[in-house]
Amino acid sequence: MRLLPANRPKNAFDHGMASDLLFLPAVQPAPPGGTSLERVQLAFPTGDMVAAFGNFLHFQSLESTFLERHPDLADRVEFNAAGPFFLKVKLSGERSVGLSRVNYKHQVAWTIVDPSLHSDPSVWALDTSVEVLVDALYARAAAHLFGTPVPSPLRWDEGEPSDMTQLADRLDAGGVRVRRVVAGNRWFARGSRSDPELVLVRESAGAYVDAELADAFVRISLKPALGWMVDAYIRDWGTWGRVDLARSLRDQSAAAPGVPHATVSVDEVADVIGKGPAHWGTSFPWEPVRRSAGRGRVPSMRQDSLFTVEEPEPAALALFEDEAAPDPATSVTAAGRGIPRAVVDQLNMLGFDAVSTSDFAAPIHSDGFDIQIRDGGAKDLSLSEVERLNGLAAASGEVLPKRLILVTGAGISRPAAAFADKAKAFVFQIDRSTARLSPLTARTREVMLPETAPRDHDLDPW
């Protein structure tokens, strides 16, 4: 981690000459025998000079805004204009709290660092407002000077209150350790303290709070399309499972993952989390079929060269039967009785509780969804095909239209993915060697469990 260099002529800004750097006239005398008129050329500034001047003005704005909003610490504020630029609030002795633009392995972000050895830096996006930055700097300095806690939402590195900051406040008041809040600010630092990396949380993760209880790590998310969702990392399992939030709240399961935002209050969600795993209806994790090495191969229909499937051990579940390849237009469920079971198990794990296995003619049953498992070949699903399948799904409902869950061995085109999201369908791709499902659309990405285990520390301890 290093401060960005000033990239400007020495002492230029210190002597109030910044504006003079923009246009430096180059005066040339008239040639011998010429007229007495002089020719003037303008030396335009380099990109580095313009950037340095812009940074200088930004820090000047930070300093003046700090003095305006927090005059009680005016005598402690210092802007280092000699470069590299930073704004600091002096504490005692050589200690201070500082704000600067920091380069994290080719990515830049605003960063506030305080003198506490094991504290994590407060990281903010470059487009964060001046007011939020100076308030965050003041809050951390005041915490050291006056012994007052950093107020919410700034204590969670958020610039304004939200459901997530309110949830974090409620959990913290109940004795639950809040590890991270992600809402408006999606940046944080991770890795080595001497050379950290900057992490940007993807939009598909939604806004969320990471919290730690005695026997579980939990992520409470608010997804744009699906509402409230809760995932728990149970240490005894060594992986993530989904909490049935609807059952935990109302003692009744929802057909699809998520609980609508408007139907649940922040206090209700906090109360459920505070009760601990014993009061959660958490689904057990799904594991792919384990296979042996060096055994024979089972034909995998049209994509045998891409999806090689080894013959399982006798105790393992067979994904594909050793039989002739079916008609390409038929579902892959006709090629193996293990696929429907694996698909149902994973859908149940993700929170599709009203999905179950059925007879061979209709291997998967659901009152609210029409589940289609398609081979698809090597060609991506087209818009017309997804529209057709969505129409068939809607028509298959006895009383109300059903929604489509589509599992394919192929990919999906962008227009088809956009239509699927608009139709509130879910589209998964299946790995034919393991039967593991992965998302193909934005809405489907929202239902997936977190991909990695929680870390003990975002930044390694000294």
Side-chain angles (χ1 to χ4, degrees), residues 270-333:
D271 287 340
V272 168
I273 302 305
K275 292 177 180 178
H279 294 81
W280 305 339
T282 310
S283 60
F284 285 89
W286 179 86
E287 291 295 334
V289 176
R290 298 187 182 279
R291 303 189 170 277
S292 63
R295 298 293 301 272
R297 298 186 183 277
V298 179
S300 59
M301 303 191 311
R302 299 178 63 202
Q303 299 187 56
D304 190 59
S305 61
L306 295 178
F307 300 99
T308 303
V309 182
E310 297 174 356
E311 182 178 286
E313 296 286 358
L317 174 67
L319 294 182
F320 301 97
E321 301 290 344
D322 190 0
E323 59 185 43
D327 186 296
T330 64
S331 165
V332 299
T333 55

Side-chain angles (χ1 to χ4, degrees), residues 8 11 73 78-79 108 119 121 159 250 275 277 292 297 312 335 372 378 381 390 436 448:
R8 59 182 178 82
N11 296 327
L73 296 186
E78 179 180 319
F79 167 34
V108 182
S119 64
R250 306 283 188 260
K275 292 177 180 178
S292 63
R297 298 186 183 277
Q372 293 286 331
L381 289 166
N390 187 71
R436 184 181 292 278
M448 304 308 291

Side-chain angles (χ1 to χ4, degrees), residues 31 35 87 98 148 181 326 335-336 349 391 404 421 437 445 453:
T35 65
L87 188 67
T148 57
V181 176
M349 176 198 67
L404 175 65
D421 285 335
L437 301 180
R445 279 189 285 274

Side-chain angles (χ1 to χ4, degrees), residues 35-256:
T35 65
S36 60
L37 294 177
E38 294 181 334
R39 183 172 57 186
V40 177
Q41 294 180 340
L42 295 180
F44 289 93
T46 65
D48 287 345
M49 293 172 63
V50 173
F53 182 56
N55 289 340
F56 174 81
L57 294 180
H58 202 153
F59 272 91
Q60 271 197 335
S61 177
L62 286 166
E63 182 185 32
S64 61
T65 303
F66 190 103
L67 295 174
E68 177 183 345
R69 294 173 71 89
H70 307 292
D72 54 318
L73 296 186
D75 59 333
R76 294 179 176 270
V77 178
E78 179 180 319
F79 167 34
N80 182 56
F85 299 147
F86 60 85
L87 188 67
K88 71 177 182 180
V89 179
K90 293 178 288 186
L91 301 178
S92 59
E94 299 297 323
R95 300 165 67 246
S96 62
V97 178
L99 167 67
S100 183
R101 289 163 57 103
V102 174
N103 190 349
Y104 296 85
K105 297 180 181 178
H106 312 299
Q107 292 178 301
V108 182
W110 289 106
T111 302
I112 299 174
V113 180
D114 66 31
S116 299
L117 182 61
H118 291 288
S119 64
D120 290 345
S122 176
V123 181
W124 301 81
L126 287 181
D127 60 356
T128 303
S129 70
V130 168
E131 290 77 14
V132 169
L133 290 174
V134 300
D135 287 350
L137 178 63
Y138 172 83
R140 279 158 179 77
H144 285 278
L145 290 168
F146 310 132
T148 57
V150 177
S152 181
L154 293 173
R155 67 176 301 191
W156 312 119
D157 292 340
E158 290 289 328
E160 58 185 23
S162 66
D163 287 324
M164 293 297 103
T165 60
Q166 293 175 28
L167 176 61
D169 293 339
R170 181 74 169 76
L171 291 172
D172 181 71
V176 177
R177 181 191 176 197
V178 176
R179 290 275 299 271
R180 179 163 304 285
V181 176
V182 172
N185 182 16
R186 310 186 73 83
W187 293 101
F188 67 93
R190 182 175 64 189
S192 168
R193 288 183 180 271
S194 60
D195 191 20
E197 62 177 329
L198 190 62
V199 178
L200 172 63
V201 178
R202 295 178 299 182
E203 292 293 334
S204 61
Y208 65 80
V209 172
D210 281 345
E212 191 170 6
L213 290 84
D215 46 2
F217 183 97
V218 64
R219 173 166 294 178
I220 310 105
S221 308
L222 193 54
K223 303 294 182 73
L226 303 178
W228 290 102
M229 297 180 70
V230 179
D231 300 315
Y233 187 89
I234 308 298
R235 293 184 177 88
D236 290 343
W237 297 349
T239 188
W240 292 91
R242 176 141 296 157
V243 175
D244 189 340
L245 185 59
R247 181 174 294 280
S248 300
L249 287 166
R250 306 283 188 260
D251 198 26
Q252 58 183 14
S253 292

